[in-house]
């Protein structure tokens, strides 16, 4: 009886310790979210709709929001097709020489310092073009997006039980049809997760934009070959200013960025819970 | 023209350096059920996959010898494995209708992607024909647009049979089709195989001697990659020539 009590006691101690450590672990995340809301919400509430649509001198971040969405769209346009093909290739030919190299390179690209991507794209796009541009920024973001989506695609397809692969080959279908009509649709949820996570990541990136987009906050962007703004880059610029008004703007912009991020992320998490296959 | 649906000549199969199938000579007559029985790991599934070149999905597999399908060597240089697979239907151990396709589309997909029918009407007819042939039509005719997840294991397996039949193959390869099916489903599938042999040659892999005895016309007993004995089912079960076969069919050797 007493041994049972000691064991019970140990279990309680352990559970409490776990709970505290978990709490300590996620505290920073909650702190960030709560601070962004408490600091950002009053700014947005005070300026209302102008904050979302107005230019910087009108007290709004409209051009930065537009810039972020344009950059997300353009970088997806450039990066997703490449990423899907690379991911499918790495899945289909995992043991070929190119396949093995591809997988290694993807892992390296995943962890590659993003500021170097920015420098690289500045050298091959921005300098030859002679100007910062939305295109250069989108290109840099595409380089960051690509490995995420490719790895997710490859992993999602690897989860398909071999028997479906055998079944499709057994029907006398060509490899390209098997991939495009059976294997990709079977793993579409995993692939879509990768696409959304990649886009969410790209929406929050700052470093690759430093030397590529230039920034544009006093008017809305008109062309992808001209400088463009982005929310994270605007936050970075505003924080460096000594003025309290600019800091307030930065908090408001942070909240907008956080909301965009969560809007992409929450559906992903929700969809992941569904049973596959 | 050979009268045999499948004939193998000194067929050897290697995985990397291991010889899995050790020189098999086999003749399977048309419109029969030929059961390939043997304990787990004896190479039954491997041998079966050599008959429609599905073995090539495994990069380590290497094949020597000949496999003749209706007298034609399918491993000749000018043969496209895709066309071979189209002519030979296959059913697997785990009922594997495509989960992202509706019941109708599961049957239609082979025809659709291979462009084997001209219009919707023809497709409808062929899908219905295949489902009737696999005695599933009455059970699914009102829910062709539903997904196979709503079917029982036995129904799923009959759907897979319909998927194979839709391509009008001459030969059906079945890799332990009832291994994951409940007794009632197994009974239905065995009944179905009995009806199907009128039009098809069926190669049935099974690890259950009793199943081979129930439904096959001929039996081959495979043990450690060698064909120990082959003959009429009645003969193999009633007066086996080999001691190993006798041990296996009486359940001593497992």
């Amino acid at each position: 009886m007493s041994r049972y009590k000691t064991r019970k006691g140990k279990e309680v101690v352990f559970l409490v310790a776990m709970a505290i450590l978990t709490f300590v672990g996620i505290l920073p995340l909650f702190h960030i979210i709560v601070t962004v809301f408490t600091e950002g919400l009053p700014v947005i509430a005070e300026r209302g709709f102008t904050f979302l649509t107005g230019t910087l001198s009108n007290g709004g971040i409209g051009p930065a929001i537009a810039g972020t969405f344009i950059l997300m769209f353009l970088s997806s346009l450039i990066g997703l097709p490449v990423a899907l093909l690379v991911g499918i290739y790495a899945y289909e030919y995992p043991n070929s020489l190119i396949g093995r190299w591809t997988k290694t390179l993807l892992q390296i690209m995943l962890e590659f310092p993003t500021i170097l991507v920015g420098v690289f794209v500045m050298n091959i796009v921005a300098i030859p073009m002679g100007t910062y541009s939305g295109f250069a920024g989108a290109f840099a973001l595409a380089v960051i997006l690509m490995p995420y989506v490719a790895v997710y695609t490859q992993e999602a397809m690897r989860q398909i039980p071999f028997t479906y692969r055998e079944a499709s080959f057994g029907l006398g279908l060509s490899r390209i049809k098997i991939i495009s009509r059976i294997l990709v649709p079977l793993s579409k949820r995993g692939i879509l997760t990768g696409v959304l996570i990649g886009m969410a990541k790209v929406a929050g990136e700052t470093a690759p934009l430093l030397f590529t987009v230039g920034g544009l906050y006093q008017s809305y962007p008109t062309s992808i070959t001209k400088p463009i703004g982005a929310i994270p880059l605007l936050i970075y610029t505003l924080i460096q200013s000594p003025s309290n008004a600019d800091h307030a703007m930065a908090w408001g912009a942070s909240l907008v960025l956080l909301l965009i991020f969560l809007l992409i992320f929450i559906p992903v998490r929700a969809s992941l819970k569904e049973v596959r296959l | 023209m050979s009268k045999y649906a499948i004939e193998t000549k000194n067929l050897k199969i290697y995985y990397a350096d291991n010889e899995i199938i050790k020189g098999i000579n086999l003749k399977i007559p048309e419109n029969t059920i030929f059961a390939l029985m043997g304990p787990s790991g004896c190479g039954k599934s491997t041998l079966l996959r050599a008959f429609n070149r599905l073995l090539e999905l495994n990069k380590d597999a290497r094949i020597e010898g000949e496999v003749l399908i209706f007298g034609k060597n399918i491993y000749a240089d000018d043969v496209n494995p895709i066309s071979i697979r189209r002519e030979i239907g296959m059913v697997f151990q785990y009922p594997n209708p495509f989960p992202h396709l509706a019941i109708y589309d599961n049957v239609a997909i082979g025809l659709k992607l291979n462009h084997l029918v001209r219009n919707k009407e023809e497709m409808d007819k062929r899908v219905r024909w295949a489902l009737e042939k696999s005695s599933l039509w009455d059970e699914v005719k009102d829910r062709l647009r539903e997904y196979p997840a709503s079917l029982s294991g036995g129904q799923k397996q009959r759907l897979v049979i319909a998927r194979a039949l839709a391509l009008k193959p001459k030969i059906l390869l079945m890799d332990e089709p009832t291994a994951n099916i409940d007794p009632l489903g197994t009974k239905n599938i065995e009944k179905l195989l009995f009806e199907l042999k009128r039009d098809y040659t069926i190669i049935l892999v099974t690890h259950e001697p009793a199943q081979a005895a129930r439904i096959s016309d001929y039996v081959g007993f495979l043990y450690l990659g060698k064909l120990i004995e082959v003959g009429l089912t009645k003969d193999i079960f009633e007066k086996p020539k080999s001691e190993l076969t006798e041990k296996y069919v009486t359940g001593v050797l497992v």
Side-chain angles (χ1 to χ4, degrees):
Chain A
M1 190 65 190
S2 79
R3 192 184 276 176
Y4 174 75
K5 268 185 184 162
T6 347
R7 233 191 272 159
K8 262 293 198 211
K10 274 187 196 164
E11 186 176 318
V12 169
V13 170
F14 187 71
L15 275 178
V16 169
M18 289 280 285
I20 292 173
L21 286 173
T22 309
F23 182 70
V24 169
I26 58 174
L27 194 62
L29 176 65
F30 276 104
H31 180 75
I32 292 171
I33 292 177
V34 169
T35 319
V36 167
F37 269 94
T38 51
E39 298 277 348
L41 211 52
V43 181
I44 298 179
E46 183 200 319
R47 309 199 185 169
F49 217 57
T50 330
F51 187 79
L52 299 177
T53 56
T55 59
L56 198 59
S57 36
N58 294 334
I61 60 164
I65 296 176
T68 284
F69 280 115
I70 290 170
L71 286 170
M72 275 169 73
F73 176 74
L74 265 185
S75 59
S76 303
L77 208 63
I78 303 169
L80 290 184
V82 181
L84 292 177
L85 291 176
V86 169
I88 290 168
Y89 185 89
Y91 158 76
E92 190 65 26
Y93 302 98
N95 298 318
S96 70
L97 188 68
I98 304 178
R100 287 203 306 266
W101 271 90
T102 307
K103 282 192 282 182
T104 312
L105 279 173
L106 284 177
Q107 291 301 329
I108 296 173
M109 281 179 82
L110 270 183
E111 307 300 336
F112 205 68
T114 51
I115 188 130
L116 295 183
V117 175
V119 174
F120 164 72
V121 172
M122 176 184 78
N123 273 298
I124 68 157
V125 182
I127 291 179
M129 280 175 75
T131 171
Y132 293 129
S133 66
F135 174 73
F139 190 88
L141 293 178
V143 172
I144 290 160
L145 175 82
M146 197 281 286
Y148 274 89
V149 180
V151 167
Y152 266 91
T153 302
Q154 184 214 343
E155 278 303 312
M157 294 185 75
R158 238 161 42 96
Q159 306 284 321
I160 305 171
F162 186 67
T163 180
Y164 294 115
R165 204 177 150 78
E166 277 199 312
S168 18
F169 273 97
L171 288 172
L173 304 175
S174 62
R175 192 183 291 264
I176 183 110
K177 277 181 183 154
I178 290 170
I179 291 172
S180 63
R181 306 299 293 274
I182 293 171
L183 300 180
V184 167
L186 267 177
S187 49
K188 67 178 175 220
R189 183 166 290 148
I191 296 174
L192 195 65
T193 304
V195 168
L196 290 175
I197 286 179
M199 286 173 74
K201 167 140 182 94
V202 155
E205 280 291 332
T206 319
L209 302 180
L210 283 173
F211 319 121
T212 50
V213 293
L216 175 73
Y217 306 107
Q218 297 299 356
S219 64
Y220 275 87
T222 51
S223 159
I224 60 164
T225 56
K226 289 183 185 152
I228 200 171
I231 307 173
L233 195 61
L234 174 64
I235 296 170
Y236 173 79
T237 317
L238 289 171
I239 293 284
Q240 292 178 49
S241 140
S243 127
N244 277 335
D246 282 351
H247 291 177
M249 287 286 281
W251 280 117
S254 302
L255 180 55
V256 172
L257 185 61
L258 183 69
L259 290 177
I260 292 174
F261 188 79
L262 290 180
L263 267 177
I264 300 174
F265 230 82
I266 289 172
V268 174
R269 295 310 306 179
S271 80
L272 272 182
K273 278 186 201 123
E274 284 176 47
V275 187
R276 301 178 53 226
L277 298 176
Chain B
M1 190 72 185
S2 157
K3 270 190 289 182
Y4 297 109
I6 299 181
E7 195 176 343
T8 70
K9 289 185 179 163
N10 199 22
L11 181 67
K12 292 178 180 173
I13 301 172
Y14 302 85
Y15 277 135
D17 291 329
N18 299 322
E19 194 177 17
I20 305 293
I21 295 295
K22 300 168 179 167
I24 283 186
N25 293 294
L26 190 63
K27 286 177 179 167
I28 299 175
E30 251 183 287
N31 296 350
T32 54
I33 298 182
F34 184 98
L36 205 52
M37 64 178 188
S40 301
C42 70
K44 307 181 295 282
S45 296
T46 302
L47 180 58
L48 192 72
R49 280 164 174 73
F51 296 158
N52 65 348
R53 296 189 63 169
L54 205 58
L55 209 56
E56 287 158 42
L57 294 191
N58 188 321
K59 296 276 175 271
D60 292 331
R62 192 160 52 81
I63 294 161
E64 279 175 19
E66 284 183 13
V67 175
L68 309 181
I69 302 287
F70 294 106
K72 195 174 100 190
N73 180 13
I74 59 166
Y75 286 97
D77 290 338
D78 60 337
V79 174
N80 180 355
I82 288 177
S83 63
I84 294 298
R85 292 175 196 142
R86 210 171 285 174
E87 288 159 22
I88 301 177
M90 183 144 185
V91 177
F92 302 84
Q93 192 172 359
Y94 179 80
N96 60 3
F98 298 121
H100 68 301
L101 296 177
I103 291 170
Y104 179 97
D105 297 314
N106 258 288
V107 182
I109 185 137
L111 298 164
K112 193 172 142 200
L113 297 187
N114 285 324
H115 306 294
L116 295 178
V117 290
R118 269 161 297 168
N119 51 40
K120 172 104 176 61
E121 208 180 313
E122 209 177 321
M123 179 70 91
D124 285 347
K125 255 165 85 184
R126 187 77 81 88
V127 167
R128 179 174 181 160
W129 173 85
L131 285 169
E132 278 173 349
K133 207 79 179 147
S134 66
S135 36
L136 190 60
W137 175 254
D138 289 336
E139 291 156 66
V140 300
K141 62 175 185 237
D142 298 322
R143 44 180 178 146
L144 293 171
R145 291 288 151 209
E146 281 176 32
Y147 290 90
S150 63
L151 299 176
S152 75
Q155 289 174 322
K156 278 183 191 161
Q157 198 62 298
R158 277 181 282 147
L159 177 59
V160 171
I161 294 172
R163 178 175 73 187
L165 292 178
L167 290 169
K168 299 218 164 171
K170 291 216 176 62
I171 298 174
L172 278 179
L173 305 179
M174 305 206 148
D175 187 5
E176 302 194 22
T178 59
N180 291 298
I181 311 291
D182 61 89
L184 183 64
T186 300
K187 207 175 132 199
N188 285 334
I189 287 173
E190 288 180 357
K191 209 173 105 203
L192 171 63
L193 296 188
F194 221 77
E195 285 162 19
L196 287 176
K197 80 168 179 184
R198 265 181 290 155
D199 305 307
Y200 305 89
T201 308
I202 297 170
I203 322 298
L204 173 78
V205 160
T206 178
H207 64 267
E208 251 187 287
Q211 184 171 51
R214 277 199 299 273
I215 57 172
S216 69
D217 304 298
Y218 294 88
V219 181
F221 172 50
L222 198 66
Y223 187 66
L224 299 177
K226 284 190 187 134
L227 198 59
I228 305 295
E229 196 167 345
V230 57
L232 282 166
T233 303
K234 197 168 176 295
D235 294 343
I236 299 272
F237 280 90
E238 285 173 8
K239 38 183 195 288
K241 291 191 198 83
S242 150
E243 206 181 318
L244 267 176
T245 314
E246 180 157 5
K247 276 187 180 167
Y248 181 71
V249 299
T250 52
V252 181
L253 179 82
V254 281

